[in-house]
Amino acid sequence: MESTGRSVHLKRIRMRRTLVISLFFIASLATFAQSLLMQPISVSLKGQTIPQALSEIERASGVRFSYNPDLISADNVEATFDEVALIKVLQEVVGTDIELKTRGSYVIILAKNPNELPRPQRFQLAGEIIDDATGEKIPYTTIYEVDKLTTSLSDLEGNYAISFATRRKIAYVAISKENYQDTIIRVDKKNPFPKLLKLKPLNKSKASQVEFKPVTDKSQIATWLVGDRTQKANRNVDMDETRFLQVSLVPGLGTNGTLNGAITNRFSLNIIAGYTGEITGLELGGFGHVVKGDVKGTQMAGFANIIGGSTNGAQIAGFINTNNGPITGLQLAGFINITPESTQGTQVAGFVNHSKDVKGLQMAGFLNLGKDTKGMQLAGFAGTGSKVKGAQVSGFFNASRKINGLQLAGFLNVSQGEVKGAQVAGFLNIADSVRGLQFGVINIARKIEKGAAVGIINIVKDGYIHGAISANDLMPINLSFLSGTNKFYSILSGGIKPGTNGIWSYGVGLGTQFHTKKNWFSAIELGTHYIQPLDENLEGLFLDNRLKVLLGFDINKRLAVTGGPVLHYFLTDQPKEVHPFLSDIGNNTFLNRQSGDHTHKLWMGYHIDFRF
């Protein structure tokens, strides 16, 4: 008894599992039209029969209907609709016991609960497809049964053959080709299917209005995954159909069949790889995904996500993500992200990010490529962009046309246009004009409109560039290079004092200059100089810090003379016995103090130079 009870219990569990799985797959195969059936229409029906009413609705909506006349009653319709969704109008006119399928510009009206045949009837159709206007054969035309989407493709000579089975008494076969009118033909055992199919070409104006979503056949990965024949079959078909679930092993071998690229899925599971029309939910795959249209949701693939449209959500791939349209959300790839349009959100790649416009963050292990960036570019090696509003940060090199924010690079920053903000580089900054700060060893700009260039060498075309020969109380011979702007310039200098206990020095400084009268100017300069004896290289601290207050006169446009007092502050960590030159420095000090191992000296001196 106990064994029997356990057996019954196991059977119940199996039945429940079977029921759950069955309901799941039934739900997955449920389809519904979206944009075509949801379009609002206005129509007035005054006593017409239902077939006449459907003709009026066709004229008002621009769609075409295909249906079994036996399904439609002979009742008259009296109703007026003002901007009412097409699906609501059809339910009012024909009734609610119907199923609607959209195929291209057609709406097919089917019985919701048809009287199915006890056994499937099989149709085998064959013939050729020609242009109705020219009589030329049309290659690569898609032929499919509209219910189960069994599909075939005509060959290069326009010959076709399709075989399918259905329990419905009447089947519907659709013939679709780019730039030709969609055609749907009712098929049953009594009415033979025409062997010669004539397609009417769209005129040029209508053909130009037909927008087929970009098929990803430009991608070598997509072509390899999907196959040329499958892409050609899907390129012809334009239909609104959403399925809850699709499962595939590879493109074409799954629950959506060959027309997988024309169907929108809410959940897509691709064991190896998959091909779908659109995703409005979640897609998971072992290797990769190819989506003909848009993605709204999340994609996760071991290798690649290839999208023909846009993405709103997240793309995560082990190697590559590509989109033909914009992305809003997250792109995360182990190697490269490619978005020819805009990115609003975050791009993260192990090697390269590419996007036309970026609003958010680009972060790459090697290189970021963007046109207009509002946010941040962060790269291990280089970042490039046209207009950057925010920050460009890289380990080596940044380049842009215009910066409004920060350029920070380990070696070089380049801006072909204006910098509003700061350029900070380990070695070199280059800009056209600057309203802010350049900070580097070498700074180059055409113009500093507002702000300063801070570095050892600052080359400003419309700025302050001078050489100088000078003398002071410590070094009788000095050469200096002054660069920057009048308001702020840097000084690179070296000097020598020959003779007994001779010394030499090198140092850097900064200064500011302003004119007091026509040819007169004054300047304040601050610098630090390292001093060494001529006959020996000593280790230790020998710093002469100088504050100069100068008065200058412009002799002519190319030559000026300046002079004034200098306050010296000398600091050393060596005793004077280490070398005799220390005794000659600062003889007239007003401060000479020993503090631990350091000696501090303070005295007044002089400075005079000729600047050219």
Side-chain angles (χ1 to χ4, degrees):
M1 292 292 292
E2 184 178 348
S3 176
T4 303
R6 184 179 296 131
S7 177
V8 172
H9 180 65
L10 290 173
K11 287 181 179 179
R12 288 176 178 171
I13 292 175
R14 293 192 187 101
M15 289 177 65
R16 288 173 184 168
R17 288 177 179 172
T18 302
L19 179 60
V20 170
I21 293 171
S22 299
L23 290 174
F24 188 73
F25 276 95
I26 289 171
S28 72
L29 296 174
T31 63
F32 59 92
Q34 292 179 340
S35 59
L36 196 63
L37 291 174
M38 295 307 297
Q39 65 169 308
I41 68 167
S42 298
V43 64
S44 180
L45 307 174
K46 300 179 179 179
Q48 292 105 322
T49 63
I50 292 179
Q52 291 172 336
L54 290 174
S55 296
E56 286 291 331
I57 296 171
E58 280 186 336
R59 283 190 287 271
S61 63
V63 304
R64 289 177 288 174
F65 298 116
S66 182
Y67 55 90
N68 180 5
D70 297 338
L71 180 65
I72 305 300
S73 71
D75 296 340
N76 292 335
V77 180
E78 188 79 34
T80 298
F81 303 95
D82 185 17
E83 293 296 300
V84 178
L86 177 59
I87 187 172
K88 296 292 186 183
V89 174
L90 292 175
Q91 288 172 348
E92 288 287 335
V93 173
V94 183
T96 57
D97 194 27
I98 57 172
E99 180 182 352
L100 302 174
K101 290 183 180 291
T102 62
R103 298 293 182 262
S105 60
Y106 275 90
V107 173
I108 305 168
I109 303 173
L110 302 170
K112 185 179 290 185
N113 299 300
N115 296 321
E116 295 185 339
L117 298 172
R119 290 186 301 177
Q121 59 175 333
R122 178 161 290 279
F123 293 91
Q124 291 183 329
L125 312 176
E128 61 179 355
I129 303 172
I130 65 172
D131 187 302
D132 186 51
T134 65
E136 296 179 354
K137 295 180 179 181
I138 306 175
Y140 305 125
T141 302
T142 304
I143 306 100
Y144 63 98
E145 187 271 325
V146 301
D147 192 22
K148 303 298 183 183
L149 299 182
T150 303
T151 306
S152 181
L153 189 70
S154 68
D155 62 17
L156 188 61
E157 299 298 324
N159 300 310
Y160 74 91
I162 183 172
S163 175
F164 61 90
T166 179
R167 287 184 179 273
R168 293 181 183 268
K169 295 179 181 179
I170 296 178
Y172 293 85
V173 175
I175 304 96
S176 295
K177 176 66 178 176
E178 273 186 297
N179 298 324
Y180 284 86
Q181 290 184 9
D182 294 316
T183 300
I184 289 183
I185 300 175
R186 288 188 293 120
V187 184
D188 57 36
K189 291 297 184 181
K190 297 179 181 179
N191 299 309
F193 194 80
K195 291 185 177 295
L196 183 64
L197 299 176
K198 297 180 180 181
L199 298 186
K200 294 182 179 181
L202 296 172
N203 58 50
K204 291 184 179 180
S205 60
K206 288 185 178 180
S208 64
Q209 296 172 5
V210 176
E211 294 184 2
F212 291 93
K213 288 185 178 296
V215 183
T216 54
D217 49 22
K218 293 182 180 179
S219 166
Q220 293 183 353
I221 298 175
T223 301
W224 176 68
L225 286 175
V226 177
D228 183 62
R229 188 174 180 83
T230 299
Q231 289 198 46
K232 286 177 178 176
N234 281 272
R235 187 183 301 119
N236 297 321
V237 178
D238 182 24
M239 63 183 183
D240 292 320
E241 183 162 322
T242 299
R243 294 183 175 181
F244 175 74
L245 171 70
Q246 85 89 23
V247 179
S248 70
L249 179 64
V250 292
L253 188 57
T255 57
N256 281 350
T258 304
L259 288 184
N260 43 10
I263 297 172
T264 298
N265 294 290
R266 297 193 182 280
F267 179 72
S268 177
L269 177 62
N270 304 305
I271 308 304
I272 298 176
Y275 180 43
T276 55
E278 292 190 352
I279 295 294
T280 57
L282 174 65
E283 186 167 40
L284 303 174
F287 182 82
H289 313 296
V290 180
V291 179
K292 181 181 176 183
D294 301 331
V295 172
K296 296 179 181 178
T298 301
Q299 280 187 309
M300 299 177 67
F303 184 80
N305 292 308
I306 313 296
I307 313 303
S310 62
T311 294
N312 191 330
Q315 279 187 318
I316 302 172
F319 186 78
I320 183 172
N321 290 310
T322 71
N323 285 260
N324 284 343
I327 180 168
T328 302
L330 170 67
Q331 266 193 326
L332 176 62
F335 185 74
I336 187 170
N337 290 311
I338 300 174
T339 303
E341 296 298 323
S342 64
T343 296
Q344 187 168 347
T346 303
Q347 277 189 319
V348 181
F351 188 70
V352 176
N353 286 313
H354 172 267
S355 182
K356 180 181 178 182
D357 299 325
V358 178
K359 292 182 180 179
L361 171 67
Q362 269 190 326
M363 184 164 61
F366 182 76
L367 175 65
N368 284 316
L369 300 169
K371 188 176 181 182
D372 292 348
T373 299
K374 293 182 180 179
M376 175 178 283
Q377 284 186 319
L378 180 62
F381 180 77
T384 67
S386 178
K387 297 179 182 179
V388 177
K389 187 175 183 180
Q392 229 181 9
V393 181
S394 70
F396 184 78
F397 170 73
N398 287 314
S400 70
R401 188 170 64 84
K402 189 175 182 180
I403 286 289
N404 190 339
L406 171 67
Q407 264 191 331
L408 176 63
F411 182 78
L412 170 66
N413 287 314
V414 176
S415 177
Q416 296 177 346
E418 186 180 52
V419 173
K420 287 184 179 179
Q423 280 186 318
V424 181
F427 183 71
L428 175 63
N429 291 306
I430 300 174
D432 180 64
S433 63
V434 176
R435 295 178 64 87
L437 173 68
Q438 281 186 315
F439 187 88
V441 177
I442 300 175
N443 299 301
I444 299 174
R446 180 184 59 82
K447 186 177 183 180
I448 304 291
E449 295 185 8
K450 185 178 181 181
V454 181
I456 296 176
I457 298 176
N458 306 297
I459 307 298
V460 182
K461 182 179 179 182
D462 297 335
Y464 184 86
I465 301 176
H466 288 73
I469 300 174
S470 65
N472 60 60
D473 59 288
L474 191 61
M475 297 285 177
I477 303 173
N478 298 274
L479 294 176
S480 300
F481 178 73
L482 298 81
S483 59
T485 64
N486 286 336
K487 293 182 180 179
F488 188 92
Y489 54 88
S490 62
I491 306 168
L492 180 64
S493 64
I496 187 170
K497 176 186 176 184
T500 306
N501 295 332
I503 57 177
W504 68 283
S505 69
Y506 60 91
V508 295
L510 51 88
T512 183
Q513 175 180 300
F514 45 92
H515 280 77
T516 54
K517 290 186 178 181
K518 183 177 180 181
N519 292 330
W520 291 90
F521 63 89
S522 59
I524 299 175
E525 297 177 355
L526 178 65
T528 183
H529 299 76
Y530 192 72
I531 299 176
Q532 284 281 292
L534 288 175
D535 59 358
E536 188 177 354
N537 186 24
L538 298 179
E539 293 184 0
L541 186 67
F542 307 96
L543 285 182
D544 180 33
N545 302 287
R546 305 170 189 173
L547 174 62
K548 294 177 281 187
V549 179
L550 306 173
L551 181 64
F553 179 76
D554 290 319
I555 299 173
N556 54 43
K557 291 182 179 181
R558 296 185 179 274
L559 183 63
V561 60
T562 65
V566 178
L567 176 64
H568 292 268
Y569 168 55
F570 182 75
L571 175 65
T572 182
D573 60 356
Q574 301 295 319
K576 63 182 180 179
E577 292 79 11
V578 73
H579 197 281
F581 89 90
L582 289 174
S583 300
D584 295 337
I585 292 179
N587 290 327
N588 298 314
T589 62
F590 54 83
L591 174 67
N592 190 340
R593 189 177 68 181
Q594 188 76 25
S595 176
D597 294 332
H598 291 78
T599 300
H600 304 265
K601 291 185 178 183
L602 203 64
W603 75 95
M604 294 295 298
Y606 68 89
H607 173 92
I608 186 170
D609 67 41
F610 288 93
R611 301 185 180 189
F612 51 88

